[in-house]
Amino acid sequence: LPEIGIYQMNEIAEVLNFGDMDLPMLTAVMEYADRSDAPAIVALAEKLDNFRFLPNAGDMDDVGRWFVESNREYNLHEDLQEYFDFESFGRNRALEYDGKIVSSGFVCMDEDCYLENVLQGTEDQAVSFGGM
């Protein structure tokens, strides 16, 4: 509290005050964005639906399998799965959706969403709010 001030603490509390807030996902998205300041937490929490999160993904093979299983457009007959390169596909999808592995899984942006847009203006707020 002394570092961020009561105003920013109230903003964080307000945005997290929803029963359906996915805190593990928010934590992963904060790591993905490499931001933990109050304005960023608020912005990320408010735009959490612009992110995709695959908990416990350890590598790009997991990511590739997730994309195939969760998207009808990548429908792959199960007889072909042993021949499919899920790791390369996962790497390709991670590049396409600006994704990366974080400590708790995999995080990427939704199609046509950009982290810069979600965090726009938060750098200035982090400096101007300050502590008490």
Side-chain angles (χ1 to χ4, degrees):
L1 184 59
E3 294 175 16
I4 65 169
I6 194 72
Y7 179 74
Q8 287 183 324
M9 194 66 185
N10 282 336
E11 279 191 315
I12 293 171
E14 185 177 319
V15 78
L16 298 179
N17 192 26
F18 295 102
D20 63 344
M21 176 58 65
D22 187 343
L23 291 177
M25 181 176 178
L26 177 59
T27 302
V29 168
M30 289 169 54
E31 183 180 347
Y32 167 83
D34 195 26
R35 296 280 301 274
S36 60
D37 55 278
I41 293 170
V42 171
L44 294 169
E46 288 176 341
K47 301 289 187 177
L48 206 54
D49 58 343
N50 289 331
F51 297 89
R52 295 182 187 182
F53 176 51
L54 174 59
N56 303 317
D59 57 27
M60 288 300 156
D61 186 80
D62 292 340
V63 172
R65 289 179 188 281
W66 176 64
F67 268 100
V68 168
E69 292 168 3
S70 64
N71 295 298
R72 290 181 189 251
E73 65 196 62
Y74 305 129
N75 192 13
L76 181 66
H77 193 278
E78 70 180 52
D79 290 341
L80 298 176
Q81 289 186 6
E82 68 180 277
Y83 303 104
F84 191 76
D85 185 354
F86 288 101
E87 183 177 350
S88 291
F89 185 68
R91 255 194 310 276
N92 179 275
R93 296 293 85 197
L95 284 171
E96 177 83 17
Y97 290 91
D98 196 26
K100 67 180 177 180
I101 300 282
V102 296
S103 61
S104 60
F106 174 78
V107 176
C108 67
M109 301 297 301
D110 270 342
E111 192 171 357
D112 297 325
C113 292
Y114 303 96
L115 183 61
E116 299 81 28
N117 294 345
V118 171
L119 294 174
Q120 189 171 12
T122 60
E123 289 284 340
D124 297 335
Q125 290 175 349
V127 173
S128 65
F129 283 146
M132 294 178 76

